[in-house]
Amino acid sequence: MIQGSIVALVTPMTEDGAVDYKSLDRLIEFHIEQGTDALVAVGTTGESATLDEQEHCAVIKRVVDQVNGRIPVIAGTGANATKEAITLTKKAKQVGADACLLVTPYYNKPTQEGLYQHFKAIAEAVAIPQILYNVPGRTACDMLPETIGRLAKIDNIIGVKEATAELQRVRQIRQLTGPDFALYTGDDASSLEFCLLGGQGSITVTGNVAPGLVHEMIMAAMAGEKEKAEQIDAKLMGLHQALFIESNPIPVKWAVAEMGLMGQGIRLPLTWLSEANQSQVKVAMRQAGVV
């Protein structure tokens, strides 16, 4: 089971919006040195919505190749069309990803039965471990615990990323799935509580900026070391909040660039972090000791 601090990796870009593969390599080495437990390539934070299919697959392949088996790589391959999600998932498997992360279909607002059939079709089409991703704040689609429980019966659907911040769902989903089904949070601010309740880790945005601290905090929480986890999380709380002061990944890309790990590149319709909000992110970075 993949567990721990799983960083939803930003996709570095040049100022004209081209993917910056040299900076991507440097970021990967930074995360491995800092103790990150796994990486998600081309998830929400990796700007999956603005990369075309060729770029999407090229970034996944580059991450897999650079990691070279040292930690697991999870490829973001979700789409709001089942056929497209199957195509991306097949390509991720071909380039050697360890698992895939599949967001609920966005915009078209399927029923719970539609969600079940969508994920069932992808799982049956591609023999790779698959993690469901529920983030209704972005997709306008909430996959209910009962639907997750149905999908957990499919062998290669191995877990779910729950980005609702509704902690009562941890117990609900666990009761409906069993101990071998991985539960990951997608909400940094409540990741400590989520892991204390039995979650297997966090697919984290904050981990882009403070990977060592996030790893230590998640490990302590998973071990039930509440006091230690709380002491570490106190240093991170400012980042948990500031990195969402504008739409993700706007603040986190600014922060990673401020650390000198990549340039100032992002794609429209996303824009660079406004000057008015930069000071708040910088204060949070100082609190966490990363600048």
Side-chain angles (χ1 to χ4, degrees):
M1 183 183 288
I2 300 170
Q3 56 185 350
S5 174
I6 304 164
V7 172
L9 193 64
V10 296
T11 300
M13 296 173 182
T14 59
E15 289 190 24
D16 63 0
V19 176
D20 181 355
Y21 288 100
K22 288 185 178 179
S23 292
L24 180 60
D25 292 345
R26 186 162 59 247
L27 274 182
I28 291 163
E29 294 305 317
F30 169 69
H31 282 290
I32 291 172
E33 290 166 6
Q34 291 290 313
T36 291
D37 297 290
L39 293 170
V40 172
V42 203
T44 303
T45 309
E47 291 176 83
S48 57
T50 60
L51 298 182
D52 63 34
E53 184 178 308
Q54 182 180 359
E55 292 171 321
H56 193 122
C57 297
V59 171
I60 292 169
K61 185 178 188 303
R62 185 64 165 249
V63 175
V64 170
D65 289 348
Q66 183 68 24
V67 167
N68 194 26
R70 289 175 288 175
I71 58 175
V73 175
I74 303 167
T77 58
N80 63 346
T82 307
K83 183 178 179 181
E84 181 183 358
I86 290 172
T87 297
L88 289 172
T89 305
K90 284 180 176 177
K91 291 184 177 180
K93 182 187 178 186
Q94 288 168 3
V95 300
D98 296 284
C100 289
L101 179 67
L102 292 133
V103 70
T104 51
Y106 40 88
Y107 189 77
N108 47 25
K109 299 175 75 172
T111 64
Q112 295 300 305
E113 182 62 25
L115 289 172
Y116 175 77
Q117 295 296 339
H118 170 79
F119 288 113
K120 179 175 178 285
I122 301 165
E124 290 176 346
V126 194
I128 189 172
Q130 297 177 21
I131 300 165
L132 312 172
Y133 177 14
N134 188 40
V135 57
R138 280 187 177 266
T139 63
C141 172
D142 186 8
M143 183 163 49
L144 299 179
E146 293 77 13
T147 303
I148 296 169
R150 290 179 68 194
L151 287 164
K153 294 180 174 67
I154 300 171
D155 286 345
N156 58 325
I157 295 181
I158 63 165
V160 63
K161 174 185 176 183
E162 259 291 318
T164 61
E166 296 178 15
L167 293 171
Q168 73 274 14
R169 289 196 178 195
V170 181
R171 290 194 180 92
Q172 284 181 281
I173 296 169
R174 177 62 71 222
Q175 289 171 352
L176 291 163
T177 59
D180 296 330
F181 190 78
L183 304 183
Y184 307 109
T185 181
D187 179 67
D188 277 298
S190 61
S191 58
L192 186 156
E193 292 87 352
F194 188 100
C195 292
L196 285 171
L197 288 169
Q200 275 69 51
S202 174
I203 297 179
T204 169
V205 175
T206 303
N208 279 282
V209 181
L213 282 179
V214 174
H215 166 78
E216 289 178 32
M217 186 271 287
I218 295 296
M219 289 295 111
M222 287 174 58
E225 299 172 2
K226 183 179 180 182
E227 185 175 344
K228 179 181 177 181
E230 287 176 340
Q231 289 174 351
I232 300 168
D233 201 45
K235 299 177 184 178
L236 295 168
M237 192 52 66
L239 280 176
H240 295 335
Q241 297 167 353
L243 293 180
F244 295 91
I245 195 170
E246 293 180 24
S247 296
N248 180 44
I250 292 172
V252 71
K253 291 198 87 172
W254 183 87
V256 174
E258 191 72 7
M259 293 166 71
L261 293 169
M262 67 179 198
Q264 298 184 2
I266 201 164
R267 282 191 181 176
L268 289 170
L270 300 179
T271 52
W272 202 239
L273 184 66
S274 64
E275 287 189 18
N277 286 325
Q278 290 176 11
S279 60
Q280 184 170 332
V281 179
K282 193 66 172 284
V283 167
M285 293 171 72
R286 289 197 189 102
Q287 183 183 2
V290 297
V291 289

